[in-house]
Amino acid sequence: MQKSLILSAAVAAVFAGGAHAEELTGTLKKINDTGIITVGHRESSIPFSYLDDKQKPVGYAMDLCHQVVAAVKKKLNKPSLVVKLVPVTSQTRIPLMVNGTIDMECGSTTNSKERQKQVGFSYSYYVTAVRMAAKASAGIKTLDDLNGKPVVTTTGTTSDRYIKQNEQGKAIDVKNVYGKDHAESFLMVDTGRAAAFVMDDILLASLIANSRNPKDFAIVGPALSVEPYGIMLRKDDPQFKKVADDTLAAIFKSGQINTIYNKWFMTPIPPKNININLPMSDKLKEAIKTPTDVGI
Amino acid sequence: MGQYQWNWGIILEEVYGTGEYYYQWLITGLGWTVATALSAWVIALILGSLIGTVRTMPNKWLAGLATAYVELFRNIPLIVQLFLWFFVLPEVLPEQMGTWMKQDMPMPEFITAVIGLGLFTSARVAEQVRTGIMALPRGQRYAGQALGFTLGQTYRYVLLPMAFRIVIPPLTSEFMNVFKNSAVALAIGVTELTFQMRQITGEYAPGNPIEVMTMVSVIYLIMAFSVNRLMAFIERRTQVPGYISGGSK
């Protein structure tokens, strides 16, 4: 007992004059030992995490993550901590997190109960609603208008599930078709192969903003599902999660979040200098007022 | 460090909120993969044999046309060809036909994939059939003609029966390739095996991607290996004693 007391005292002494009251565990310990923090980012999740014209990862989530990294530097008292950026995809992000390649993932990852079996999540920094994009001239207002029509979703997403659930008990029959990625799904609506594209509203808004004639398209219908995005972390790693959560909470409380939000959602952004022009939703305002890490 | 939570039973679980099971999705995907690959193979074998044969015919114009066909279809990446058939063709056709292709054609993804994959593979089969014919000693062609056979009869009774036997090994590879290449069909929305894998590992069961990917890989392996064994069986059954195509015993 006494031995371990002496030992921990010695350990505490080694660390910069007792800057940490607690012993480091999990990811923070790993970062402290190696002197490297590895951040996973996406390559085309506009405007959350994507490569700009200089192939540098930028975005709303990246801005927030840089502040978390700064907080880690401060907590470990290591201003020269090396930040390694690793690109991930929706298929690789969980295995790379679990096997220790990345320490945090900053992208557009839904905090779901299913994912929580493998990984952890910070407070939600964005809330998206699943809705439909259709040709403005097509006169589609609700799901009922889609009866008998082809509706496209992107492979690997769950949007078709929401259509199936909303079909139940109603006399509507929708034909599900699939695009390989969001750009292709949008092309299907553009060329008339599909009547509507069901997807997260933010992704629809940025696809429309980037199209040739943004006025030709409209985001319509009710929210089929509401999904929170969070920074993906390692599971059962309370010390590191606290750093991330405290950083986000501080950004939310100080109102700095509004500046960061406006920078990415309300003003022109690289690489094409297009303005997504999507005001903050009520759900997001709620999540900022009362930070939460509850998944769906 | 974190520990990956292995769960090989994932495919036996119900897909939340749908009343379906993951293994049913994989079986549906397997069905579309087999249907796409076999239909495309029928097109590839028929067209490929025809084009390959024409390339060896004495008529320069016909042979040149066949060569152009082969070069066109084997020099463009398969995924680009599928995009051209699916997205570009309906836009350049007269509007009525284009609209029909997009909205009224039955199973548009499947039919486009079968035709695209079939034509792509037919160019490769054509080259192999041509190789088989060219590998035969010139004397065989002369022998056929000396017997009074017409050009058609010479091909039908003398050249092609031996040429096909010679090219069974490369055709085996091509037959296996058509199964593996069918995965590209997910690019235009055919709900085949790789599509189902991406669907499950994307948002539906994102917690256990490694298990699902492994299982799908094993299914492809079994499919390709079955084709391999089938072709080996055909090769043994059709071999001519004492001739070069004795091949695998």
Side-chain angles (χ1 to χ4, degrees):
Chain A
M1 190 63 186
Q2 250 187 345
K3 245 186 196 165
S4 70
L5 265 179
I6 296 166
L7 196 67
S8 53
V11 168
V14 169
F15 289 118
H20 330 275
E22 52 189 341
E23 201 175 332
L24 292 178
T25 59
T27 303
L28 273 186
K29 181 174 185 321
K30 181 195 165 205
I31 295 170
N32 193 48
D33 291 350
T34 58
I36 302 170
I37 180 166
T38 312
V39 177
H41 67 87
R42 300 295 295 270
E43 293 180 314
S44 61
S45 264
I46 300 171
F48 296 98
S49 175
Y50 65 100
L51 298 176
D52 68 3
D53 35 11
K54 294 175 201 74
Q55 300 298 304
K56 181 175 158 265
V58 294
Y60 175 73
M62 292 305 293
D63 275 4
L64 297 174
C65 279
H66 284 313
Q67 301 219 16
V68 175
V69 171
V72 171
K73 281 182 183 168
K74 202 166 153 225
K75 180 162 171 76
L76 298 178
N77 200 10
K78 281 199 171 176
S80 59
L81 194 67
V82 177
V83 183
K84 215 167 104 190
L85 296 167
V86 173
V88 300
T89 69
S90 49
Q91 266 84 27
T92 62
R93 58 192 168 190
I94 287 182
L96 289 181
M97 172 63 68
V98 174
N99 77 9
T101 306
I102 55 174
D103 297 319
M104 55 197 275
E105 192 249 6
C106 310
S108 48
T109 305
T110 300
N111 176 355
S112 69
K113 295 247 157 63
E114 185 67 42
R115 287 203 172 95
Q116 286 176 12
K117 290 179 194 161
Q118 301 280 7
V119 294
F121 285 92
S122 72
Y123 285 149
S124 304
Y125 56 77
Y126 191 79
V127 183
T128 183
V130 175
R131 296 180 69 200
M132 309 186 273
K135 284 250 175 84
S137 57
I140 289 168
K141 292 273 174 288
T142 64
L143 271 184
D144 298 0
D145 296 330
L146 293 175
N147 192 17
K149 296 203 170 107
V151 173
V152 65
T153 55
T154 302
T155 316
T157 66
T158 43
S159 308
D160 54 343
R161 168 158 84 201
Y162 305 127
I163 301 176
K164 280 178 196 156
Q165 282 170 353
N166 278 275
E167 274 177 348
Q168 282 166 9
K170 286 189 191 166
I172 57 168
D173 182 28
V174 164
K175 182 179 177 290
N176 280 309
V177 294
Y178 300 92
K180 155 175 78 65
D181 50 38
H182 300 318
E184 197 187 307
S185 300
F186 191 72
L187 183 64
M188 290 217 195
V189 176
D190 197 359
T191 58
R193 270 197 184 271
F197 176 17
V198 177
M199 187 42 59
D200 299 359
D201 56 359
I202 170 58
L203 290 167
L204 295 178
S206 85
L207 285 165
I208 291 175
N210 278 291
S211 69
R212 267 169 303 158
N213 297 307
K215 288 202 162 57
D216 288 356
F217 302 92
I219 296 178
V220 296
L224 301 173
S225 159
V226 174
E227 303 188 351
Y229 291 172
I231 301 174
M232 194 164 79
L233 308 165
R234 223 157 262 126
K235 198 182 164 191
D236 301 327
D237 190 5
Q239 225 176 40
F240 188 50
K241 178 173 157 52
K242 188 168 184 311
V243 177
D245 282 350
D246 288 351
T247 309
L248 288 176
I251 299 172
F252 292 168
K253 201 162 173 230
S254 69
Q256 199 196 347
I257 189 72
N258 295 314
T259 321
I260 301 177
Y261 186 93
N262 287 340
K263 174 179 165 197
W264 294 103
F265 292 87
M266 300 299 287
T267 49
I269 53 168
K272 283 159 82 182
N273 272 323
I274 280 168
N275 185 352
I276 294 174
N277 206 356
L278 189 77
M280 204 182 265
S281 68
D282 290 340
K283 294 272 183 202
L284 178 54
K285 282 181 189 154
E286 224 170 272
I288 286 170
K289 206 171 151 212
T290 337
T292 166
D293 60 0
V294 177
I296 59 157
Chain B
M1 276 309 95
Q3 195 70 48
Y4 190 80
Q5 307 291 316
W6 293 94
N7 176 16
W8 289 95
I10 181 80
I11 57 160
L12 299 177
E13 287 175 15
E14 190 183 334
V15 188
Y16 168 77
T18 59
E20 293 167 9
Y21 291 84
Y22 288 119
Y23 73 87
Q24 293 176 320
W25 286 16
L26 287 187
I27 291 171
T28 312
L30 181 61
W32 282 111
T33 292
V34 171
T36 309
L38 288 183
S39 315
W41 182 243
V42 170
I43 294 179
L45 204 54
I46 295 174
L47 266 180
S49 308
L50 203 71
I51 304 279
T53 308
V54 171
R55 280 200 77 178
T56 65
M57 295 214 311
N59 186 323
K60 284 238 158 56
W61 285 100
L62 277 177
L65 217 61
T67 307
Y69 175 94
V70 168
E71 296 308 334
L72 177 68
F73 283 105
R74 74 170 176 175
N75 281 324
I76 302 174
L78 176 56
I79 191 164
V80 177
Q81 292 193 28
L82 289 186
F83 275 127
L84 290 175
W85 290 116
F86 197 67
F87 285 112
V88 181
L89 185 65
E91 304 303 318
V92 296
L93 284 177
E95 198 180 331
Q96 232 176 346
M97 273 178 80
T99 311
W100 178 83
M101 271 189 78
K102 287 189 280 193
Q103 288 171 3
D104 299 319
M105 190 166 93
M107 299 193 288
E109 305 90 7
F110 174 70
I111 290 176
T112 311
V114 166
I115 292 176
L117 182 59
L119 294 187
F120 173 79
T121 312
S122 75
R124 303 172 54 96
V125 170
E127 277 305 88
Q128 286 157 8
V129 170
R130 180 173 78 101
T131 317
I133 296 171
M134 309 257 286
L136 296 171
R138 210 178 303 170
Q140 296 215 359
R141 186 187 291 260
Y142 296 154
Q145 282 164 351
L147 285 170
F149 282 165
T150 63
L151 186 65
Q153 285 170 326
T154 309
Y155 273 102
R156 166 72 185 79
Y157 296 109
V158 181
L159 299 178
L160 289 180
M162 288 322 294
F164 271 112
R165 284 179 169 83
I166 294 173
V167 298
I168 286 178
L171 277 184
T172 304
S173 297
E174 219 46 65
F175 198 1
M176 290 159 76
N177 274 348
V178 90
F179 275 87
K180 290 175 282 178
N181 286 345
S182 70
V184 174
L186 85 89
I188 56 168
V190 177
T191 57
E192 46 76 61
L193 193 53
T194 308
F195 168 91
Q196 301 289 2
M197 179 194 86
R198 293 194 19 153
Q199 197 73 341
I200 297 170
T201 58
E203 296 278 343
Y204 276 97
N208 300 87
I210 299 177
E211 292 90 327
V212 180
M213 289 174 185
T214 309
M215 281 185 249
V216 168
S217 306
V218 170
I219 296 176
Y220 273 109
L221 191 80
I222 293 171
M223 256 191 304
F225 192 68
S226 313
V227 169
N228 176 304
R229 289 297 89 196
L230 171 76
M231 291 298 279
F233 172 75
I234 293 176
E235 190 178 356
R236 264 201 311 280
R237 285 297 297 266
T238 58
Q239 73 172 274
V240 177
Y243 199 67
I244 48 164
S245 66
S248 61
K249 289 258 150 77

